């Protein structure tokens, strides 16, 4: 009988504990976190406020993402006119950002040359063949680099302001084009933005590379890890690699696609949000302290290159591109918060 009474007390205790656990679960579900609340003007404002706080005074360019994005692409004539106006802006001078990294881009869109012990890896190829010849080839020569040493052209995503000059460079220098499988497929089937202002997309050849998430591209003494960060396009590549300044090594990430120019597409925005969170873990794990972009307005590359030129004339100082791991992490959080604000705006439409 004592055995039965003890078991009865045990069963009662287990039952009571289980009921308490269920009650706690129900209560927890009732207390929905802010990010799971129904989209509203309040949730939009909360995400924008969080982005603004996180940006502080040093990351304000990223707050442009918090402005409402259009639900559809502009008419073709308006698109062509806007792109032409951007392309026609006078190009800045090429510049050396690090011992092994050089800017050879235009005013609006960037191209970066990574010098290795066995040649050059070019990240992005500008809008068309004319820019590739004048700004990439011409800029490299001005900086003491030989364009014939271009071995790879990494296209961060399948929009023409990044692939436009790739066919010319690939054919002239036998360079291998690297793009994600998703964006190779997109450029081979239906372009997201079809415009005569851009050069034609590259045609995939037997030596070209279809990058997968986490692939490592090695040339000589340099390795790029290619992370797929879907959102801007579904195959956007954000490479992470080492740079050096005055003999000190730093870890850099180039965010491969920033703007929300794909219209009302909530799954794309969710992918973008997920990519910022995932890359935040990479940034912290690898101590990434340099954040680059393929558009100068986002990474303030022109201001920083000008500061480096001034530094060279005066005395050596800290490299302005080195912003520190906490700041890189904050930038990703700003982008993620702005993407959540835009997701909620579209969800309410």
């Amino acid at each position: 009988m004592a055995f039965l009474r003890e078991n009865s007390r045990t069963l009662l205790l287990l039952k009571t504990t289980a009921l308490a656990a269920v009650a706690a679960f129900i209560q927890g579900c009732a207390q929905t976190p802010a990010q799971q609340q129904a989209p509203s003007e309040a949730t939009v404002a909360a995400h924008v406020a969080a982005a603004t706080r996180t940006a502080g005074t040093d990351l304000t360019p990223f707050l442009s993402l918090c402005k409402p994005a259009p639900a559809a692409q502009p008419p073709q004539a308006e698109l062509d006119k806007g792109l032409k106006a951007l392309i026609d802006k006078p190009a800045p001078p090429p510049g050396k950002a690090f011992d092994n990294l050089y800017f050879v881009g235009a005013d609006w869109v960037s191209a970066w040359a990574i010098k290795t012990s066995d040649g050059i890896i070019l990240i992005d190829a500008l809008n068309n063949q004319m820019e590739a010849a004048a700004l990439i080839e011409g800029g490299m020569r001005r900086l003491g680099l030989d364009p014939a040493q271009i071995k790879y052209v990494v296209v961060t995503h399948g929009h023409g302001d990044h692939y436009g000059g790739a066919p010319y460079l690939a054919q002239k220098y036998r360079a291998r084009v690297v793009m994600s499988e998703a964006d190779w497929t997109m450029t081979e089937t239906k372009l997201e933005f079809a415009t005569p202002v851009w050069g034609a997309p590259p045609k995939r050849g037997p030596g070209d590379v279809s990058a997968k998430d986490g692939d490592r591209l090695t040339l000589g003494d340099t390795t790029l890890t290619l992370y797929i960060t879907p959102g801007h396009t579904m195959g956007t590549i954000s490479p992470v690699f080492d740079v050096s300044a005055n003999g000190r090594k730093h870890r850099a990430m180039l965010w491969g696609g920033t703007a929300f120019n794909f219209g009302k597409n909530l799954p794309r925005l969710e992918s973008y949000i997920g990519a910022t969170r995932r890359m935040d873990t990479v940034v912290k794990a690898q101590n990434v302290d340099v954040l680059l972009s393929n558009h100068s307005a986002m990474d303030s590359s022109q201001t920083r290159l000008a500061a480096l030129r001034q530094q060279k004339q005066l005395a050596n100082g800290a490299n302005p591109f080195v912003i520190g791991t906490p700041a890189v992490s904050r930038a990703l959080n700003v982008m993620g918060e702005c993407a959540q604000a835009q997701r909620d705006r579209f969800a309410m439409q």
Side-chain angles (χ1 to χ4, degrees):
M1 293 295 292
F3 174 78
L4 292 174
R5 284 196 298 272
E6 184 62 31
N7 276 274
S8 296
R9 284 195 295 270
T10 301
L11 289 171
L12 180 61
L13 177 62
L14 290 172
K15 184 177 180 181
T16 303
T17 303
L19 289 172
V22 170
F25 174 77
I26 293 171
Q27 184 179 14
C29 289
Q31 295 173 350
T32 308
Q35 62 266 30
Q36 295 178 1
Q37 289 178 6
S40 66
E41 294 296 340
T43 64
V44 171
H47 288 305
V48 172
T52 304
R53 286 193 306 271
T54 304
T57 58
D58 55 324
L59 298 173
T60 54
F62 293 99
L63 291 176
S64 62
L65 295 173
C66 277
K67 297 177 181 177
Q73 290 185 11
Q76 188 67 47
E78 183 180 333
L79 173 66
D80 295 348
K81 182 180 179 181
L83 287 173
K84 189 173 185 308
L86 291 169
I87 293 171
D88 286 346
K89 290 185 175 182
K96 183 176 181 179
F98 288 91
D99 297 340
N100 60 330
L101 181 68
Y102 302 79
F103 174 88
V104 286
D107 175 83
W108 169 56
V109 63
S110 305
W112 297 94
I114 304 172
K115 184 180 178 181
T116 82
S117 61
D118 194 31
I120 291 169
I121 300 172
L122 183 71
I123 301 181
D124 285 338
L126 305 183
N127 292 281
N128 49 49
Q129 176 178 330
M130 182 177 67
E131 282 194 340
L135 302 180
I136 294 176
E137 290 181 305
M140 288 176 66
R141 292 190 183 102
R142 287 176 62 183
L143 295 168
L145 302 175
D146 181 3
Q149 292 298 306
I150 299 174
K151 303 294 178 65
Y152 290 97
V153 179
V154 178
V155 177
T156 53
H157 63 269
H159 292 160
D161 48 334
H162 305 286
Y163 67 61
Y168 165 75
L169 296 169
Q171 181 178 15
K172 185 171 182 178
Y173 299 117
R174 300 179 183 268
R176 301 172 67 182
V177 178
V178 180
M179 195 154 52
S180 70
E181 178 61 33
D183 280 19
W184 273 119
T185 300
M186 183 258 286
T187 58
E188 290 168 342
T189 53
K190 184 179 180 181
L191 294 173
E192 282 194 329
F193 293 96
T195 170
V197 176
W198 285 335
K203 295 186 180 300
R204 185 164 19 179
D208 294 328
V209 179
S210 177
K212 301 183 295 296
D213 182 59
D215 278 357
R216 293 162 69 87
L217 174 63
T218 299
L219 182 63
D221 59 358
T222 301
T223 295
L224 278 64
T225 303
L226 307 177
Y227 293 96
I228 307 301
T229 51
H232 185 72
T233 67
M234 290 312 293
T236 295
I237 295 174
S238 294
V240 175
F241 52 97
D242 288 337
V243 292
S244 61
N246 299 320
R248 293 188 61 182
K249 185 179 289 187
H250 299 275
R251 193 77 170 149
M253 177 184 69
L254 192 153
W255 186 252
T258 308
F260 314 141
N261 57 358
F262 40 80
K264 186 180 178 180
N265 188 326
L266 271 65
R268 284 271 283 271
L269 283 164
E270 292 289 0
S271 295
Y272 191 108
I273 294 161
T276 62
R277 291 171 177 166
R278 185 266 183 116
M279 291 308 293
D280 188 30
T281 66
V282 172
V283 162
K284 292 171 180 173
Q286 299 187 24
N287 295 317
V288 173
D289 57 358
V290 175
L291 178 61
L292 303 168
S293 173
N294 43 25
H295 288 280
S296 292
M298 303 310 300
D299 63 5
S300 304
S301 54
Q302 295 314 309
T303 301
R304 289 175 173 148
L305 287 168
L308 279 173
R309 286 191 290 270
Q310 184 69 13
Q311 241 180 52
K312 188 175 180 181
Q313 293 172 7
L314 300 175
N316 286 333
N319 188 302
F321 281 94
V322 180
I323 62 174
T325 301
V328 177
S329 174
R330 284 167 45 225
L332 288 166
N333 289 330
V334 172
M335 289 189 279
E337 289 288 354
C338 289
Q340 291 175 80
Q342 188 55 55
R343 174 202 61 194
D344 287 1
R345 287 190 190 102
F346 282 152
M348 289 188 294
Q349 292 179 5

